[in-house]
Amino acid sequence: MASLTFMDGILLIVAGWLLIGACGLLVMRRTTFVAHVLFPLGALLGIILVIVSLASMFAAPHTAVLPLGLPGLPFHLRLDTLASYFLFVLGIVSTGVSIFSAGYFRQGEGTPPGLMCLEYHVCLASMALLLLADDAYVFMVTWETMTLAATLLVIANHRIPEVRRAGFLYMLISHVGALGLLLCFGLLQANTGDYTFANMRAQNLDLFWGSIAFFLALFGFGAKAGILPLHVWLPEAHPAAPSPISALMSAFVLKTGVYGVLRVSFDLLHMQVWWWGGITLAIGLASALFGVVLSTVQTDMKRLLAYSSIENIGLIFSGIGLTILFRAYGMTALAALSLTATLYHVVSHACFKSLLFLGTGTVLHATGERNLGHLGGLMRFMPWTAWTALVGALAAAGLPPFAGFVSEWLLLQSFLFTPGLPNSFLNMLVPIVAALIALVGALAGYVMVKFFAIIFLGQPREQKLNNAHDADNWEKAGFVWLAAACVVLGLFPVQMMPVLDRVTHLLIGQGIGAAVAAGGSLLLVPITPERASYAPFVFALVLLACCLLAFVLVRRLFHGRFRRSVPWGCGYPFQSARMQDSAEGFGQPIREIFGPFFRMTRELPSAFDKTPRYKVTVEDPFWTLVYRPIVALTERIARLAGLLQHGRIALYLLYSFLTLLTLLLVVMQ
């Protein structure tokens, strides 16, 4: 009965989101009502979703059938711990983004506020139903609804051609991925004609067809998640979309791809093969390294965060690949550890990346600038935005005691245990893999230093920045919600382990809860205390005590007297904001070291230029190596097909006659 209540509660939340969206149509251009009434109501439903989904984690799975859809194709729904966990993450993200949106959206920014309210809440409702889907039909219906709603949100400023192109690219790649999902579900039902997930769980595909189904799922869900080489839509769509939409897409729309891979790999398929894990691990590591390297050289703050999302999705897929490896070799305890790290990074990334995207939205509204080269010194004008963005940046950099550190630390522990694999080739690659993970973590810290320092520290690079204003109260509330989530997840990972254990027990039959419980309530122990442990709360207390001690000593030694002076400029007296390190200069060492990762074009001045300019353009190499040849081939085929269309009925009849004649000859033979 309790499980039924949880299912009913979530369906009521979905219905509430749809009702809020419908109300938006009735007040299409009443910006104040939409912002200060409808979006806060959506945030309230998000908070309720957090509570209901968290409680449902400890209840038995429950199924339901809704009399919707087509005749003979009702909606089969199932609420289990995997769905509950992702609903929990969706609740956290939707609450923060909805609160922030109440202060962000304004009149005259493309799509009318009421229509955007509809699209936004339809997107939330479709993602919630997607997580509850228990058959391929309702899954694909909600998947496509989510894609359509997200596309409309991306092209909110549809008057700009670049925005329309970004929306088209996102929809195109999403639909290509959806074709892979349709083929995957077709294989999983094994010619039974029953597309319910319960039937798919009962099938036993052989290795060949199981492998095809797995890689079709990896392709289809990877297109949505943004793994290589299907990532190209992500750096285009994020800068084009309004910042709250960028936050929602990075924080959760990408995670629907992660959810799909977990659902197919560990729930619908009855086997895991070691080389499935090896390929997934390699793709994840390549995505993580590529994403973090490209993010270091970006000068657009939203594009920087977009490539950072590719890096974090790569880490998540690396964890999934490692889990498949451990599971294939029967090392269930280590599979539980890597899966726990993966799930923890899902919620951690959702919190800190949405916080950072919302911070860029406030900066964009206050300054009108997205280019890092035109920003700087905003901390003195926007302290709320700066301090909360600092929390997100520290979490994204993987520093303790924030959420990002816990998930990446657990993932690194998983890799450190891989020498126990009964495969000499894989064991030989362990040092390389561990070194790549460490390199990705170090470069992620480098990226966050660049992001925060260029925007908020130093002197303003433009005169207009002196008039920048801080976030309003709604935006501040959204910041505080997500920043608090980053801190709580970082300080209390031990208390999160029972929640994650429910998911790992469902998917692989084991968790790390027993080892964590043996370490006590303050010590996070992934396997045994002798191997590794981390005390986040104690670490935070020691760090706070050191800061307080330093403050007291400075106040006592200097008797509270402070002397302010300009920093030393090597004897040069005419200091200005142009003397500061620029975004291009910050990324110059990475451009030199990792040059093969991207294509660079330089605009060099000559000695005779009266206004010399130096410009470096960094381009994603996948555009040149993969997508432009595909576009050229498609255009060539389209031109050849166009030759057949002359507008003459006689020629069309001739084509039909020749086709029938050819078919007749084939049948006669």
Side-chain angles (χ1 to χ4, degrees), residues 635-644:
E635 290 178 347
R636 189 174 303 135
I637 294 173
R639 284 194 296 269
L640 291 175
L643 296 176
L644 302 175

Side-chain angles (χ1 to χ4, degrees), residues 24-111:
L25 286 180
L26 301 178
V27 288
M28 184 77 74
R29 299 188 181 276
R30 293 178 58 184
T31 306
T32 303
F33 183 83
V34 171
H36 295 167
V37 176
L38 297 184
F39 275 104
L41 285 176
L44 178 61
L45 292 178
I47 295 174
I48 297 173
L49 180 60
V50 171
I51 298 170
V52 173
S53 58
L54 191 59
S56 67
M57 295 285 295
F58 301 93
H62 179 76
T63 59
V65 179
L66 298 182
L68 301 175
L70 299 175
L73 287 174
F75 280 15
H76 294 84
L77 306 179
R78 184 170 185 263
L79 179 63
D80 57 17
T81 52
L82 179 61
S84 296
Y85 181 72
F86 276 84
L87 285 167
F88 168 70
V89 179
L90 175 60
I92 294 176
V93 172
S94 63
T95 300
V97 174
S98 296
I99 295 174
F100 178 88
S101 299
Y104 181 85
F105 289 115
R106 293 162 170 79
Q107 186 71 36
E109 295 189 355
T111 302

Side-chain angles (χ1 to χ4, degrees), residues 218-297:
L218 187 64
F219 171 81
F221 291 119
K224 181 68 71 178
I227 61 172
L228 293 186
L230 305 168
H231 67 287
V232 292
W233 67 267
L234 212 150
E236 304 301 322
H238 280 309
S243 293
I245 307 308
S246 299
L248 180 66
M249 293 187 67
S250 182
F252 201 81
V253 174
L254 302 185
K255 304 306 188 304
T256 59
V258 175
Y259 168 81
V261 172
L262 291 174
R263 178 65 73 186
V264 171
S265 302
F266 299 104
D267 186 25
L268 303 184
L269 283 171
H270 69 283
M271 59 181 171
Q272 287 83 40
V273 184
W274 73 268
W275 52 272
W276 295 3
I279 293 175
T280 306
L281 175 60
I283 293 174
L285 285 174
S287 300
L289 186 59
F290 180 85
V292 75
V293 169
L294 264 290
S295 64
T296 60
V297 297

Side-chain angles (χ1 to χ4, degrees), residues 646-663:
H646 297 279
R648 300 178 182 176
I649 296 178
L651 286 176
Y652 295 154
L653 292 174
L654 177 63
Y655 297 154
S656 301
F657 174 74
L658 292 176
T659 302
L660 291 173
L661 184 62
T662 303
L663 291 174

Side-chain angles (χ1 to χ4, degrees), residues 3 31 88 124 180 243 314 321 347 354 441-442 460 510 523 533-534 627-628:
S3 298
T31 306
F88 168 70
L124 293 181
S243 293
V347 66
S354 57
Q510 189 170 337
L523 197 64
S533 62
Y534 168 58
Y627 289 96
R628 284 177 183 165

Side-chain angles (χ1 to χ4, degrees), residues 352 355-356 386-397 402 452 482-484 486-487:
F352 67 68
L355 177 59
L356 291 174
W387 284 108
T388 51
L390 179 61
V391 172
L394 293 174
F402 299 99
F452 186 81
L482 294 169
C486 292
V487 174

Side-chain angles (χ1 to χ4, degrees), residues 441-563:
L443 289 176
Y446 182 94
V447 170
M448 288 301 111
V449 170
K450 172 182 176 177
F451 173 82
F452 186 81
I454 297 295
I455 296 175
F456 295 105
L457 302 182
Q459 300 296 319
R461 291 178 172 83
E462 301 282 344
Q463 183 63 34
K464 65 180 179 180
L465 300 182
N466 293 313
N467 300 322
H469 56 84
D470 208 349
D472 70 6
N473 291 331
W474 288 107
E475 294 173 333
K476 290 176 183 177
F479 288 151
V480 170
W481 171 267
L482 294 169
C486 292
V487 174
V488 170
L489 289 170
L491 290 179
F492 302 103
V494 177
Q495 286 68 32
M496 274 290 293
M497 290 304 118
V499 175
L500 299 176
D501 256 23
R502 300 287 297 179
V503 185
T504 58
H505 274 285
L506 171 72
L507 297 182
I508 60 176
Q510 189 170 337
I512 65 172
V516 173
S521 60
L522 296 179
L523 197 64
L524 179 59
V525 179
I527 300 294
T528 60
E530 294 78 16
R531 298 295 298 270
S533 62
Y534 168 58
F537 197 73
V538 175
F539 181 91
L541 289 178
V542 172
L543 182 64
L544 181 61
C546 291
C547 294
L548 291 175
L549 179 62
F551 178 77
V552 170
L553 289 176
V554 170
R555 294 283 293 182
R556 185 172 182 84
L557 288 176
F558 292 98
H559 306 289
R561 295 192 300 270
F562 295 93
R563 182 169 61 89

